[in-house]
Amino acid sequence: MLEEIIPALQSQKGTKVLSAKPKITERLPEIDSKISFVPFINYLKEKQAVTTDIHSDIYKYLIRRFEEEPALLQPIEEIDLLKDQGELLKLLTTVLFPLISEPQKNNFTLAVPYQFSVFQYSDPFHKLFIDEEHLLMPADIPEGELKEIHCAMIYDHVLEKFYGVKLNDPAEMIFPVCNADTGLKQYYKMRYDRRFIDIKLKGALPPLKDCAVCLNTFRILDLQKQLEKMPLDLFSAEGFAVWVAEDVTADESLEIIKKILLRHDDCDTIILRELKPAIQVLVGLNDIKVGLMPFIKLNNRFVLEDACTGHSILSKNWRAGDQESQSTFEMYMNFIAERPGPVPISILNEEMVQQAPFLKPLLAEGIRSYIHYPLQNSDGILGILEVASPVPNQLNFEVMSRLEPAIPLLSLALLKTRENFNNRVEKLIKEKFTALQPSVEWKFAEAAWEHLRSSENESAILSCNVAFDNVYPLYGAVDIRNSSVERNSALQKDLKEHLLLVDHLLDQLQTLVQLPLLEGLKFKNQNIQLSIRDTIVPEDEVRIHEFLENEVEPVFLHLQKSNRQAQELVDHYFNIVHDTNGQLYHFHREYEETLAIINKAVLDYLEKEEDTVQKSYPHYFEKYRTDGVEYNIYIGQSIAPDHPFDLLYLKNLRLWQIKSMAEVARINHTLLPSLKVPLQTTQLILIHSQPIAISFRRDERRFDVEGSYNIRYETMKKRIDKVRIKDTEERLTQIGKIAIVYSNMKEAQEYVQYIEFLQNKNILRPGIEWLELEELQGVKGLKALRVDVNLEGS
């Protein structure tokens, strides 16, 4: 019967022995090993002795066939001997892998014991792992890793046979293979079956205690030491191994996803790009697209962020700030709220788009089947996993089930991405909008810790005052000269344009409608134009807006609805009025843009400089915008208790302050030709040589001075911006100059040294003005130094 079966055996390749490329294996330790079928025959004899069914006859037949070939009962020295035994080897492998199994899944080969050399391999194995000349090895496998796997297989056998020790979890090889049909990577784990290998001892066994094996965990601790104490030339091996390649693509894809997540502590959206190929491998289809979109929450509402939508298939063209995108996004979120479960759309067509209009871009892109998989945790929706294909019916429930094992990991990735967004927002708030800075953050941490330790949780924080004593203040102000005048001038010009537009429309309407009220409005409009021809005051602005809103617009709105001829004229008027980027707001817009350019340039410079001066000694630096930019600096031992404080750090900051003010003046001078409104800055410094105390005000989220004596310092800051020189109308602050206000001569003398140094560096021009200032409410006896900045200097 068996003789009749032989011709029908599954097709297998011949008995040519193929090895891995020498450059891969030449550095591996060698063991004396030969092909032999004796261990296999002995195995069959043992099985036959305890078997009574049809399998016994098969074993007996196979034993007889091998015993009829005496050359096969000896270790095979000449590999050519196997070439004439193809039929017998086919029978052998058919016994190992029965005919009833699926041929395409019989991914196996016979191998020379403990060598990377194979013979008698199945068609699937040949297709994946052999290139006709060599056995393929995992691409780019490190030499050390291959050596470890190779030696672990041998020592596992040696230790079990001669010492009764079984190594735990021997290393395995994972082969990444590019599937010829799909072009996708597949992963195979090589399971090494050594039951048909007999390993023999050629010398004396070394004591196990001298080897590099940990008996607690049964693993090799030091491979090199193990090779020295137990060299492989002590052993020989006869028989053959069976390598079985097991498809572990799904498991390996999950491992890749895990490694990506572990590699990214701070998950930005780059991680989404790395995850997509692993998901595609998991699905096992090459003509699909994968999308991942985290849903970002801000103030408990979902918002669009371009960095997230860009990784989606459906929403890649949605943009934050675009009204149409926002409307589509809201529609989409409502859809998800109603259908929070995963949905495979096997056929995406016009009918489906009518039910869910936001899917229209997919259809236009040629997508014909689509999986929509919302990812959630206990707090709700985290984002969306998408799979899209141009082939109808390709994506279904069976494909969706392949995604299931990865869902928890992908949910974690989207959660980490959302947390990264929240951290970025929090960091930005801290840097740009609150008073909390790294130099004082430690103090807030201590206050929070005190709060957490207190049993009176609700009230404890009220007693945790964040304050710093004995700190030296530095104050500076960069003001836009005549900003109010320029603002009023811009407003005046825009209002004139608006009133002229009204005047022109009233003339047009009077040709269409006989309405005396129009003539009355025109008369009042012309009187208002005359009143602001030369100048404008705040009362004029209020009066004009009341005239336009309460008198002009109601008449225009009535004619817009009641007169078809007037409708087009009035529509045009309101279009112009409502266009904030249009002609009626031209001058005010230019003023605001100029102001923003100057302030940004000043702030950018100060922030860059702050990064540098902060390195000399930690201090608190607070900037805030008015018409220009003002700042407070506080430095002292209490702010940085771990850094010994010396007055030289204060002097360094004072010198930097004058130098930076000179640079601010030069920045403005450089910008001037490009500004739409010729705004210029003045620079002011207040000297206060005595240390003060500051504390954090929770209501204003900023530091303020403490104590009645220190309040005088705050009063001076508020009142010196427009101070005049005594007995004159001249303002202290002037364009192209730095004004330095002081109270006593000792303060001034210190600053004179800094000024002379900067004059020598050609940053300031020669000369110093010594000025007495007018008395201010609550402040007397102030004086000032004033120096010119070398605006053209290098």
Side-chain angles (χ1 to χ4, degrees):
M1 180 182 69
L2 289 171
E3 287 85 345
E4 297 173 354
I5 293 176
I6 295 297
L9 293 175
Q10 62 186 36
S11 171
Q12 295 175 19
K13 296 297 176 182
T15 53
K16 183 179 180 182
V17 177
L18 297 176
S19 301
K21 292 181 180 179
K23 69 176 183 179
I24 296 176
T25 59
E26 60 189 6
R27 296 184 183 179
L28 297 178
E30 294 184 3
I31 184 173
D32 179 15
S33 70
K34 296 180 178 63
I35 298 173
S36 173
F37 297 98
V38 173
F40 175 67
I41 295 169
N42 291 337
Y43 178 85
L44 292 181
K45 288 178 178 179
E46 291 175 7
K47 296 288 286 184
Q48 185 204 2
V50 295
T51 305
T52 58
D53 56 14
I54 185 64
H55 292 93
S56 177
D57 293 335
I58 296 174
Y59 299 151
K60 187 184 300 183
Y61 174 81
L62 197 52
I63 292 168
R64 178 170 60 80
R65 287 293 307 273
F66 270 98
E67 288 179 342
E68 290 173 353
E69 302 288 344
L72 298 181
L73 301 180
Q74 301 295 325
I76 296 174
E77 301 284 352
E78 297 294 333
I79 299 300
D80 289 344
L81 180 64
L82 297 177
K83 290 182 179 179
D84 299 327
Q85 302 298 331
E87 187 180 280
L88 183 55
L89 292 178
K90 288 178 183 178
L91 180 59
L92 182 156
T93 54
T94 303
V95 171
L96 294 176
F97 300 93
L99 285 171
I100 59 173
S101 63
E102 299 179 56
Q104 68 272 20
K105 293 185 178 180
N106 278 346
N107 237 322
F108 69 87
T109 184
L110 306 186
V112 180
Y114 302 123
Q115 293 185 23
F116 293 103
S117 300
V118 299
F119 64 98
Q120 199 59 32
Y121 24 83
S122 66
D123 284 344
F125 189 94
H126 175 271
K127 184 177 180 181
L128 291 171
F129 304 110
I130 291 175
D131 66 357
E132 300 299 346
E133 295 296 330
H134 295 96
L135 169 67
L136 300 177
M137 301 296 288
D140 302 323
I141 184 170
E143 179 185 322
E145 183 180 337
L146 184 61
K147 181 178 179 180
E148 200 171 295
I149 293 171
H150 174 65
C151 293
M153 291 190 298
I154 300 172
Y155 283 125
D156 182 55
H157 199 167
V158 168
L159 291 168
E160 183 175 0
K161 180 172 181 178
F162 298 112
Y163 295 93
V165 171
K166 180 75 172 79
L167 290 178
N168 289 335
D169 300 324
E172 297 171 328
M173 279 194 296
I174 302 295
F175 279 67
V177 176
C178 183
N179 188 298
D181 297 326
T182 65
L184 294 174
K185 274 189 177 181
Q186 288 179 278
Y187 295 89
Y188 289 86
K189 179 170 67 177
M190 287 298 182
R191 183 162 50 83
Y192 195 79
D193 192 327
R194 57 174 168 80
R195 75 183 79 185
F196 309 125
I197 299 176
D198 185 15
I199 197 161
K200 299 177 181 180
L201 182 64
K202 296 164 63 176
L205 275 175
L208 188 58
K209 63 182 178 63
D210 293 336
C211 299
V213 176
C214 177
L215 297 180
N216 289 327
T217 58
F218 297 128
R219 63 189 180 93
I220 296 175
L221 296 175
D222 185 338
L223 179 57
Q224 190 57 41
K225 182 180 177 182
Q226 180 72 7
L227 286 167
E228 292 171 1
K229 295 293 184 179
M230 188 183 290
L232 295 185
D233 56 17
L234 281 175
F235 310 99
S236 65
E238 295 178 2
F240 64 86
V242 180
W243 264 350
V244 179
E246 178 186 354
D247 189 341
V248 291
T249 301
D251 292 339
E252 194 63 21
S253 298
L254 296 179
E255 285 299 316
I256 292 171
I257 293 172
K258 289 178 186 177
K259 289 175 183 176
I260 292 172
L261 291 175
L262 290 172
R263 192 167 65 248
H264 291 265
D265 293 330
D266 295 326
C267 281
D268 55 21
T269 51
I270 293 175
I271 194 175
L272 305 181
R273 188 181 302 117
E274 293 186 31
L275 289 171
K276 290 179 185 180
I279 299 170
Q280 192 174 28
V281 169
L282 186 64
V283 173
L285 299 171
N286 68 333
D287 57 348
I288 63 168
K289 295 180 180 179
V290 175
L292 270 172
M293 178 183 173
F295 288 164
I296 300 304
K297 267 190 170 182
L298 188 67
N299 295 330
N300 207 34
R301 75 180 192 280
F302 291 109
V303 295
L304 277 175
E305 201 209 13
D306 295 350
C308 295
T309 57
H311 292 279
S312 170
I313 304 170
L314 174 63
S315 59
K316 61 186 177 185
N317 293 320
W318 297 354
R319 291 292 175 266
D322 177 68
Q323 190 57 49
E324 184 177 351
S325 296
Q326 185 63 38
S327 300
T328 308
F329 177 61
E330 290 172 2
M331 182 198 312
Y332 182 50
M333 295 308 297
N334 290 334
F335 176 86
I336 294 175
E338 295 172 2
R339 303 168 183 82
V343 179
I345 304 175
S346 297
I347 299 179
L348 181 62
N349 51 25
E350 290 289 350
E351 183 180 349
M352 182 61 66
V353 169
Q354 288 177 3
Q355 297 179 31
F358 54 82
L359 295 175
K360 187 176 181 180
L362 298 181
L363 193 65
E365 195 177 328
I367 292 170
R368 294 299 177 263
S369 56
Y370 177 71
I371 289 178
H372 168 268
Y373 204 126
L375 303 179
Q376 307 181 58
N377 67 359
S378 57
D379 294 329
I381 187 76
L382 296 171
I384 288 293
L385 166 64
E386 306 164 281
V387 182
S389 169
V391 182
N393 288 310
Q394 187 173 44
L395 302 179
N396 48 36
F397 280 101
E398 191 277 326
V399 173
M400 195 168 72
S401 68
R402 301 178 203 167
L403 296 168
E404 291 291 342
I407 296 305
L409 294 173
L410 298 177
S411 297
L412 178 60
L414 296 191
L415 179 61
K416 292 176 75 173
T417 305
R418 178 188 289 184
E419 289 173 349
N420 177 264
F421 171 81
N422 293 336
N423 291 338
R424 286 190 290 120
V425 170
E426 184 178 338
K427 181 181 179 182
L428 187 63
I429 290 172
K430 182 191 289 187
E431 289 179 350
K432 303 296 183 183
F433 304 110
T434 74
L436 194 57
Q437 295 179 14
S439 59
V440 297
E441 192 171 3
W442 65 271
K443 191 75 171 181
F444 287 87
E446 286 190 355
W449 174 236
E450 183 179 338
H451 169 62
L452 292 172
R453 288 184 299 171
S454 173
S455 58
E456 301 174 4
N457 287 333
E458 292 301 322
S459 59
I461 192 68
L462 299 177
S463 64
C464 298
N465 186 35
V466 177
F468 298 97
D469 296 322
N470 294 314
V471 294
Y472 292 89
L474 293 90
Y475 170 77
V478 179
D479 188 40
I480 306 295
R481 173 50 53 93
N482 296 327
S483 59
S484 298
V485 173
E486 293 291 347
R487 182 185 290 109
N488 287 340
S489 175
L491 179 66
Q492 178 189 20
K493 292 174 183 176
D494 284 338
L495 287 175
K496 284 182 177 179
E497 290 284 341
H498 197 156
L499 294 172
L500 282 173
L501 179 66
V502 170
D503 202 55
H504 180 63
L505 179 57
L506 288 171
D507 287 340
Q508 291 178 300
L509 292 174
Q510 286 184 78
T511 64
L512 300 176
V513 182
Q514 296 302 313
L515 194 65
L517 180 60
L518 297 177
E519 188 175 353
L521 287 175
K522 182 175 176 63
F523 175 75
K524 189 171 184 178
N525 186 54
Q526 289 177 336
N527 284 337
I528 293 174
Q529 290 181 66
L530 287 172
S531 70
I532 64 169
R533 182 176 59 185
D534 299 321
T535 186
I536 189 171
V537 296
E539 292 80 2
D540 291 329
E541 182 181 355
V542 173
R543 180 165 57 94
I544 291 170
H545 282 301
E546 287 180 349
F547 169 65
L548 293 172
E549 292 176 8
N550 301 332
E551 299 183 49
V552 173
E553 289 187 5
V555 174
F556 287 174
L557 288 171
H558 173 75
L559 294 175
Q560 185 184 38
K561 297 175 182 177
S562 61
N563 189 298
R564 182 171 296 179
Q565 291 179 300
Q567 182 180 356
E568 184 176 343
L569 296 173
V570 177
D571 284 347
H572 178 66
Y573 168 81
F574 280 120
N575 286 337
I576 294 175
V577 170
H578 294 153
D579 181 9
T580 56
N581 293 317
Q583 67 187 60
L584 296 188
Y585 308 94
H586 170 72
F587 294 104
H588 187 264
R589 187 170 62 252
E590 285 189 344
Y591 168 81
E592 291 294 342
E593 288 174 357
T594 301
L595 197 66
I597 289 171
I598 295 173
N599 283 336
K600 183 179 184 303
V602 172
L603 285 169
D604 286 350
Y605 169 74
L606 290 177
E607 287 176 4
K608 180 181 177 182
E609 285 292 296
E610 166 61 5
D611 289 340
T612 302
V613 296
Q614 192 70 243
K615 295 173 183 176
S616 63
Y617 191 89
H619 54 274
Y620 181 77
F621 194 119
E622 175 190 48
K623 304 177 291 292
Y624 48 97
R625 286 183 55 174
T626 52
D627 271 352
V629 176
E630 295 181 43
Y631 63 80
N632 292 305
I633 302 176
Y634 302 105
I635 185 171
Q637 185 69 74
S638 60
I639 289 179
D642 295 333
H643 296 72
F645 178 73
D646 191 282
L647 287 177
L648 69 89
Y649 297 117
L650 173 62
K651 293 178 179 179
N652 183 66
L653 266 182
R654 287 173 171 173
L655 174 59
W656 169 84
Q657 188 180 24
I658 302 176
K659 184 174 181 293
S660 64
M661 283 296 195
E663 185 60 32
V664 164
R666 289 160 67 169
I667 288 172
N668 176 236
H669 182 72
T670 303
L671 286 174
L672 198 57
S674 64
L675 299 177
K676 294 178 180 178
V677 180
L679 299 179
Q680 298 188 67
T681 63
T682 63
Q683 292 68 227
L684 174 66
I685 293 172
L686 172 63
I687 306 175
H688 189 80
S689 57
Q690 298 300 313
I692 63 174
I694 58 173
S695 63
F696 189 74
R697 294 183 58 175
R698 294 184 187 85
D699 54 346
E700 296 183 10
R701 296 188 63 79
R702 60 185 294 268
F703 281 96
D704 205 350
V705 299
E706 275 195 339
S708 57
Y709 173 76
N710 297 328
I711 290 177
R712 182 175 183 273
Y713 171 69
E714 283 295 311
T715 303
M716 285 193 291
K717 286 197 311 183
K718 293 175 181 177
R719 297 188 177 160
I720 60 173
D721 62 328
K722 291 181 173 59
V723 67
R724 291 181 174 83
I725 298 171
K726 189 175 182 178
D727 298 329
T728 74
E729 294 299 315
E730 181 185 347
R731 292 264 295 271
L732 170 64
T733 54
Q734 294 294 328
I735 295 168
K737 298 175 182 284
I738 301 173
I740 304 171
V741 177
Y742 66 95
S743 298
N744 64 69
M745 182 57 67
K746 187 177 180 180
E747 294 173 338
Q749 289 172 345
E750 178 184 341
Y751 274 76
V752 167
Q753 298 177 40
Y754 306 144
I755 291 170
E756 290 176 345
F757 170 73
L758 295 174
Q759 287 174 336
N760 185 62
K761 301 279 286 184
N762 204 32
I763 294 173
L764 300 178
R765 293 187 179 279
I768 301 176
E769 296 179 82
W770 296 83
L771 306 169
E772 290 191 30
L773 305 180
E774 64 181 350
E775 290 188 0
L776 301 173
Q777 183 180 356
V779 182
K780 297 181 180 180
L782 292 181
K783 300 178 181 180
L785 304 174
R786 195 166 65 184
V787 291
D788 288 289
V789 178
N790 183 5
L791 299 175
E792 305 293 341
S794 57

